[in-house]
Amino acid sequence: MYDFDEVLDRTQLSTSKWESEIFRTGNKNLLCFGTADMDFKSSPAIIDALQSVVDKGHFGYPYKRDSYYDAIIGYLDRHFSWKISKEMIANSVSIYPSFQGIIEGLTEEGDEIIFNSPVHHIFKEVVTANKRVAVESPLKLVDGEYQLDFNHIKASITPKTSMYILCNPHNPMGRIWNQDDLIQLVDLCAENNIIILSDEVYAGLIYPGESFTPLASLSEKAAMNSITCISASKSFNVTGIKHSLVISENPEFISVYKEQLKKNNEYYGESIFGHHATEAAFSNSDEWSNELMEYINGNFNFLKEYLKTNLPDVGIFQPQSTYFAWLDFNYLGLSDNDLVNLFEKEAEIIVTHGYVLGEGGSGFIRWNLGCPRSVLKMGLERLKTAIENKK
């Protein structure tokens, strides 16, 4: 029903993912599989909702209607059996800005904050910029599957550890942490008075046959010792709209977070487009989302078969979520700089390189599958040619 094969007219677009990279490199021939956006139009329900706002022609400070909250509450219950209330919901302009208020409000300067690498480089950047100590606990790779290394996590905890930032589903490899992992993490953090900040922004991008459990939905212990960040941004391709949700059953956590918003008046006004896009995404875009993930799954299978046939030494990891493929190119024996040159200069492809994502990322790349299959095929063919030319 939805045309994910459509290649958009880039002369009508201006994006960080494509146009910014073309400007940076001066190469109009680039194919871009880096930045975490999709090359698809958003769901028709969202487009219609935004067009309705434009047609009314009034763009003043918005008011959140009951339907806005009903959409969020209904989506989380419908998809994840996570039952929340309006009082548990706060906002930000996007996921990472909300980290600042959470970190500043619930930890002290000099505190240690644990997270698992490789992960988006902003995790470390935000922690250190807020004058806290970033502590990487690398994921371990067992039989081709990434796992939380609880021995390393336990060894990383000190009296200064006050927060654990969980990425679930995990960016870059699309791993969903199972309920046993989450329960063990909740118990460990509760025993050590460590608050869990759970980044669940990719929760709407679940592969067919997989399931996702929000950490806070596990138990009262989990709910009262965590604060969750979600958004329609990644799942419905509305990252430019700048609206996100901060959710916690612990009234103190929400109160402290809202108090932090007073530092820049972020609690007032917000984005009228963010409100309407969020409501439309969570209330009336399920069918689009389901078809999207069928297409992403098809893209991954296409990539897997292409690499198996043409570049069989590339390591491939089966994602459970997101629109990323996490690929291991260490067999080439290249330095990270040489790997960047192989992709960007020789193959004329932009990807996200693993070395910037922390320990365990060197020699890996994150390939964005949120694109028409014809573009994916062109990128893979360029990569194949570039690698063959190095032999």
Side-chain angles (χ1 to χ4, degrees), residues 217-268:
S217 70
L218 286 170
S219 64
E220 183 177 1
K221 182 193 293 186
M224 294 302 289
N225 192 45
S226 67
I227 188 163
T228 301
C229 297
I230 65 170
S231 173
S233 60
K234 301 297 185 182
S235 300
F236 299 93
N237 213 34
V238 290
T239 53
I241 297 234
K242 311 304 286 185
H243 187 76
S244 64
L245 309 170
V246 175
I247 302 173
S248 181
E249 190 171 330
N250 188 318
E252 179 185 355
F253 289 178
I254 287 295
S255 177
V256 167
Y257 173 73
K258 288 182 176 180
E259 192 68 23
Q260 290 294 314
L261 298 182
K262 293 180 180 179
K263 292 180 176 180
N264 58 13
N265 194 234
E266 193 180 326
Y267 66 91
Y268 186 76

Side-chain angles (χ1 to χ4, degrees), residues 130-181:
N130 280 283
K131 299 180 180 179
R132 276 65 172 174
V133 179
V135 179
E136 293 186 41
S137 180
L139 300 173
K140 62 180 180 180
L141 191 53
V142 180
D143 297 329
E145 180 180 86
Y146 281 92
Q147 298 179 3
L148 295 171
D149 188 343
F150 281 99
N151 289 331
H152 192 281
I153 295 170
K154 291 174 184 177
S156 300
I157 295 173
T158 76
K160 296 286 288 181
T161 307
S162 61
M163 182 170 284
Y164 187 107
I165 305 180
L166 178 71
C167 189
N168 185 34
H170 194 92
N171 170 17
M173 68 283 299
R175 180 79 164 87
I176 297 174
W177 306 119
N178 62 43
Q179 291 192 26
D180 289 341
D181 291 329

Side-chain angles (χ1 to χ4, degrees), residues 29 73 93 154 171 198 270 294 300 302 307 324 327 359:
N29 195 43
I73 293 167
V93 294
K154 291 174 184 177
N171 170 17
S198 190
E270 301 177 350
E294 291 284 355
F300 175 76
F302 179 87
L307 293 179
F324 304 133
L327 305 174
E359 188 173 345

Side-chain angles (χ1 to χ4, degrees), residues 106-107 111-115 153-154 156-166 185-197 215 221-222 224-227 253:
L106 297 177
T107 70
D111 281 2
E112 296 170 355
I113 298 179
I114 298 174
F115 54 86
I153 295 170
K154 291 174 184 177
S156 300
I157 295 173
T158 76
K160 296 286 288 181
T161 307
S162 61
M163 182 170 284
Y164 187 107
I165 305 180
L166 178 71
L185 183 63
V186 166
D187 289 343
L188 178 62
C189 288
E191 290 166 5
N192 290 278
N193 297 312
I194 298 170
I195 297 168
I196 301 174
L197 192 175
L215 178 135
K221 182 193 293 186
M224 294 302 289
N225 192 45
S226 67
I227 188 163
F253 289 178

Side-chain angles (χ1 to χ4, degrees), residues 368-385:
N368 189 331
L369 297 171
C371 61
R373 200 155 300 152
S374 61
V375 178
L376 172 61
K377 182 180 179 182
M378 283 191 290
L380 290 169
E381 288 173 346
R382 286 189 185 185
L383 177 62
K384 174 178 178 287
T385 298

